[in-house]
Amino acid sequence: MTPGGAGVAQRHDQPTGGPAGRTGIGYEPGGAPGARSAVVDGPYGGNDGMYGPDDAPYAPVMASRSGDDGTDRGAAPDIGADLASHMADEVLADYLHQQSADFLRSLRLHRESGSDAEGAGEAARQLRRAARRISATLHTFRPLTEEAWADQLRSELGWLSGALAREQACAARRERLMAALQRLTGRGPERGDRGDRTGRGERGKRGDRTTTGSSTGPATPSASSAPSTDPDPDGALSAGAARAGALLDRQLTLARTRAHSAALQALGSSRFHAVADSVAVLASEAPLARTAAELPADEALPPLVEQAHRRLTEAVAALPLSRAGYPYNAAALAADQRQDAPWHQVRMLVRLSRYARELIAPEAGDLLLAEAGRALEWHRDAAEAAAAAAAAARTPRIAPATAYALGVLHADQRHEVEAARFAFGRVWLPRTPDRKG
């Protein structure tokens, strides 16, 4: 037992003969507000780019897209044929053992990666992937677990995943903002060829020939040498874009360096070793209640899966989808964390519902939830990038042109937030004749 792991890996209340814990399978009190602590992504929520390889979309399934309140209920859980022939503890334990083994395997790969930054990053993503599924399973099926031990493990997995996520989140945010600045200020072929299409290039050539053809006469001013009176709408933006990019690069690189140091410190702490010890225990002995061994899986698990999805539909019903369902509605342009928080909460609940269905029907994924999760991760990435641009604009004593460029960048990312909300609405809501794609 690693020092510092008391209360996490130590199972002093667990007899060798079998799991102990509370009896009964009553649903967990409370609704959506408790879901954020269940998905162990820390403040960045699993940012692996926009939609990382650890959350690849599932295979398509038939989905029921009807609901009495106009929301899309999603696909009904496809209960596997073998679920009825097993007890609840067997299905839960098998899934937790598999995810724990993936966690430990990823941890070993991370340690063996050494100086290979790409290999270490991939191992960290796989580590967080397994941690998310363990934490979500312990949350959704909490009435069937030994709750005190499971809650403690969930909390520690959340701390670990948050520590590992920050470095990658800073790198992805920097890449996103630099690409947005280049897109906003770059001059592509359409702008670069505009002069030739209007004939200015030809006029310049004629002026040059006139000048060189007469060696003694007065030089005829060419069109190309005449001062341009055309307004440059991008001039103010271009003037501050370079400094805005340098400022963002400096701030986000510093944040990434600090996050990297914090991650290394976390991986070397006794607290991390206690988490690893807990997962090692989970890989061989799941902390399940006695009641889980007495109930068939097809009776105990589907109601909890349906409860997770019901919480999701209730949270989605509270979103302003009627307005977000139309493009260019300008509802997301105001930078307000209170406005973004319900959407972030729905993203967490989408992930909980996906993982719950994955447990009872691993061979049949839910394409609807996968697409909804992808749109909401896009929403989260854009909102975080906009917040970074706004924070950079508050830097003291920056030039007005730099502040202007950062303001344009902030508005661009808030438009991305609006587009992500629109995309989520088109995925979730049933298509109607006046809302054809």
Side-chain angles (χ1 to χ4, degrees):
M1 179 63 190
T2 306
V8 180
Q10 187 176 359
R11 297 293 303 279
H12 59 82
D13 57 343
Q14 177 73 38
T16 307
R22 297 184 182 181
T23 59
I25 58 168
Y27 291 153
E28 177 190 357
R36 180 174 294 275
S37 62
V39 182
V40 292
D41 289 320
Y44 298 100
N47 184 1
D48 298 310
M50 183 183 72
Y51 192 69
D54 56 335
D55 274 326
Y58 293 134
V61 294
M62 297 302 294
S64 172
R65 301 183 65 100
S66 61
D68 296 336
D69 57 357
T71 59
D72 194 335
R73 295 297 184 185
D78 184 11
I79 299 178
D82 296 335
L83 195 60
S85 61
H86 291 84
M87 305 303 288
D89 66 330
E90 296 175 347
V91 177
L92 274 174
D94 181 70
Y95 185 81
L96 289 172
H97 293 340
Q98 177 185 353
Q99 300 304 324
S100 300
D102 290 344
F103 181 97
L104 297 174
R105 186 182 305 111
S106 301
L107 179 58
R108 185 183 69 251
L109 292 176
H110 189 275
R111 290 172 175 171
E112 294 174 352
S113 61
S115 59
D116 182 8
E118 183 177 354
E122 179 61 26
R125 282 190 288 269
Q126 296 299 325
L127 190 70
R128 291 174 48 235
R129 176 185 184 274
R132 282 199 300 266
R133 282 165 168 78
I134 294 172
S135 179
T137 301
L138 294 178
H139 173 81
T140 301
F141 302 97
R142 185 173 181 269
L144 300 177
T145 67
E146 186 181 327
E147 297 179 356
W149 195 87
D151 290 347
Q152 177 70 10
L153 177 57
R154 248 178 44 219
S155 174
E156 294 302 292
L157 287 173
W159 161 78
L160 173 61
S161 185
L164 295 178
R166 291 184 180 91
E167 178 184 0
Q168 197 279 333
C170 291
R173 192 168 304 127
R174 176 191 173 279
E175 181 179 356
R176 181 186 185 92
L177 289 171
M178 295 300 104
L181 268 178
Q182 183 177 4
R183 169 171 50 83
L184 291 170
T185 61
R187 294 186 177 273
E190 294 183 358
R191 293 183 177 181
D193 296 340
R194 187 178 300 169
D196 293 341
R197 288 198 302 269
T198 56
R200 294 176 185 172
E202 294 298 327
R203 289 195 298 269
K205 293 178 181 178
R206 288 195 297 268
D208 291 343
R209 287 197 298 269
T210 303
T211 304
T212 56
S214 176
S215 59
T216 58
T220 303
S222 65
S224 61
S225 62
S228 175
T229 58
D230 293 341
D232 183 5
D234 298 329
L237 177 59
S238 300
R243 291 185 178 181
L247 177 61
L248 286 169
D249 179 71
R250 183 167 62 253
Q251 291 183 349
L252 293 175
T253 300
L254 177 60
R256 181 182 181 181
T257 301
R258 291 174 175 173
H260 180 73
S261 300
L264 292 179
Q265 184 177 3
L267 291 175
S269 65
S270 59
R271 184 178 182 182
F272 166 74
H273 290 294
V275 176
D277 290 345
S278 298
V279 176
V281 171
L282 188 63
S284 59
E285 185 180 8
L288 303 179
R290 288 194 180 95
T291 311
E294 302 171 358
L295 293 171
D298 60 343
E299 295 181 8
L301 301 182
L304 296 175
V305 176
E306 286 295 336
Q307 183 190 22
H309 195 67
R310 185 166 59 252
R311 289 174 177 172
L312 169 60
T313 57
E314 292 172 355
V316 172
L319 296 177
L321 289 184
S322 59
R323 183 173 183 180
Y326 294 93
Y328 307 111
N329 57 77
L333 297 187
D336 187 356
Q337 294 182 354
R338 292 173 298 178
Q339 178 192 129
D340 295 334
W343 296 87
H344 296 329
Q345 179 71 8
V346 169
R347 179 178 59 86
M348 299 291 185
L349 294 172
V350 165
R351 183 170 283 171
L352 283 174
S353 184
R354 276 188 57 205
Y355 294 166
R357 295 186 181 201
E358 178 183 293
L359 184 143
I360 66 173
E363 72 285 351
D366 194 321
L367 181 62
L368 175 68
L369 290 179
E371 293 177 350
R374 188 157 49 230
L376 291 173
E377 293 212 8
W378 175 19
H379 176 278
R380 184 273 319 280
D381 292 343
E384 293 289 346
R394 291 191 292 269
T395 303
R397 297 184 299 278
I398 61 174
T402 306
Y404 174 75
L406 291 170
V408 172
L409 183 60
H410 174 269
D412 174 76
Q413 292 303 302
R414 293 306 302 184
H415 276 293
E416 292 285 317
V417 170
E418 178 184 301
R421 294 179 182 180
F422 174 74
F424 174 78
R426 291 177 65 86
V427 169
W428 189 266
L429 293 176
R431 298 294 174 87
T432 57
D434 60 335
R435 293 174 60 88
K436 292 182 180 179

